[in-house]
Amino acid sequence: MVIQPKFRGFICTTAHPVGCAENVKQQIGYVKKQGKFNGPKNVLIIGASTGYGLASRITATFGAGSKTLGVFFERPAIGGRTASAGWYNTAAFEKVALAEGYYAKSINGDAFSHEIKDQTIQTIKADMGKVDLVIYSLASPRRTDPDTKQIYTSVIKPIGKPFQGKTVDFHTGEISTAKVEPATEQEEIETVKVMGGEDWILWIKALKEANVLADQFVTLAYSYVGPKLTRPIYRDGTIGKAKDDLEASVDTINALVKDLNGQAYVAVNKALVTQSSSAIPVVPLYISLLFKVMKEKGIHEGCIEQIYRLFTERIYSGDLALDEQGRIRVDDWEMREDVQAEVAKLWEQVTNDNIDLLADLAGFRNDFFALFGFGLPNVDYEAEVDQVVAIPSLEE
Ligand code: NAD
């Protein structure tokens, strides 16, 4: 079939297999160009199919020659529907990894469940023995509690008082005022249940009990802080509460794995275009202005640049450069004073009339389309393609 992007609100309901493969190839190309480094041997990535998790998988494989096991929740093509982007990304990743002699296996299912944790442990035991790096990179709108089966839903809302701020519809470029009512106490609790650290702790407990964590293993979860502009809706809002909980889990995990000399860290990454960040009011406008400023200064990075830097200049460099709260920061360039001062100035100036000049809305849009494999160079989008694509390790 000929595959075109189709939208439902902020969500693109189709994905392009050749475009997604091209996207993955570009990321692999970036890592190869940077060169090899001494890194982990056996890596488990939870949330491995898109965004920061996929970039972590690619960096570990092609930068450090690691074996990787990736867990994710993606949809294969069914009938006339395309697969999800993460499915196509993984198919492309595994094919290149296998062709180049790297071990890569994947598990598709609900990472919050006991079943998927058990399946993961069995695969590690059979193929790797133990893992020395566990990356936790889930972003999910809901979570089913594995014991009670209660379903929790996360929301992006301010806490305590309503939020009002400038935002942009990145499809049309139209600036408007977003108004969001504060979360209820229940919504706050549920968001922490979904995006907080409880499931990260459950993963490490399960892996430890199964004796599949190597001595001195490292586990890493990703967080975000962001500037004053987005604080009421992000860091001081429901999702920020979840991030506080995730960050606080570091101590719990460290106590749990003390006898293994294991170490948990949170890495604070830069704001980037993903399906979830596009849906947060204010954030698309902030990111469009941020990209403009960072590109002009020559310090713009995407997921792969961020993660390659995280691995080579922080985790495996011996210089973690932790902040006061013990976190690794690769959002350091985003948060630079000169960058934030310029973004804040543009924020005040930006209107419907000058947005194309002041903001990198085109960059935002390109990145958004690229998430689903659209708008990439060297891809013929008029050509017939087979939407059914196999992930090699899921065929067995
Ligand atoms: P993403 O949406 O691109 O990736 C999420 C991954 O989680 C996918 O692999 C998906 O398949 C998997 N997943 C979701 N629900 C699942 C489930 N129930 N079971 C198994 N897998 C499931 O997200 P992302 O933007 O890369 O975010 C990853 C982490 O990085 C999050 O913690 C996010 O807060 C953090 N982060 C994101 C940004 C940003 O700007 N995007 C910035 C800093 C930190």
Side-chain angles (χ1 to χ4, degrees), residues 47 49-52 73-74 109-111 137 139 222-223 243 270 272 274:
S49 53
T50 53
Y52 278 119
F73 211 178
E74 300 294 346
D110 183 6
S137 186
Y222 296 141
S223 189
K243 290 301 184 194
K270 175 196 184 192
L272 283 174
T274 62

Side-chain angles (χ1 to χ4, degrees), residues 1-4 16 379-385:
M1 65 198 263
V2 174
I3 304 170
Q4 300 290 345
H16 200 286
V379 179
D380 180 0
Y381 289 101
E382 302 305 321
E384 287 279 337
V385 289

Side-chain angles (χ1 to χ4, degrees), residues 249-277:
S249 307
V250 164
D251 289 343
T252 313
I253 293 177
N254 282 340
L256 194 72
V257 296
K258 210 169 162 211
D259 54 334
L260 290 171
N261 300 305
Q263 189 69 50
Y265 296 107
V266 158
V268 182
N269 300 350
K270 175 196 184 192
L272 283 174
V273 182
T274 62
Q275 287 187 59
S276 28
S277 65

Side-chain angles (χ1 to χ4, degrees), residues 163 165-168 178 229-230 233 280-287 347:
F163 168 76
K166 252 185 200 173
T167 193
V168 68
L229 280 171
T230 60
I233 192 80
I280 309 176
V282 186
V283 169
L285 184 57
Y286 167 70
I287 291 182
W347 183 269

Side-chain angles (χ1 to χ4, degrees), residues 46-54 71-74 86 107-113 116 136-144 195 221-225 234 239 243 246 267-277 283 287 303 306 334 371:
I46 303 152
S49 53
T50 53
Y52 278 119
L54 174 66
V71 179
F72 48 76
F73 211 178
E74 300 294 346
I107 292 175
N108 187 30
D110 183 6
F112 297 123
S113 70
I116 290 297
Y136 190 80
S137 186
L138 286 189
S140 175
R142 68 192 66 80
R143 170 177 174 217
T144 304
M195 287 297 287
Y222 296 141
S223 189
Y224 183 65
V225 174
Y234 192 91
I239 190 80
K243 290 301 184 194
L246 182 82
V268 182
N269 300 350
K270 175 196 184 192
L272 283 174
V273 182
T274 62
Q275 287 187 59
S276 28
S277 65
V283 169
I287 291 182
C303 282
Q306 276 270 289
E334 170 183 356
L371 292 176

Side-chain angles (χ1 to χ4, degrees), residues 65 80 92 96 122 238 322 328 372 395:
V96 182
Q122 293 321 316
T238 48
L322 301 178
I328 300 171
F372 306 94
E395 287 280 275

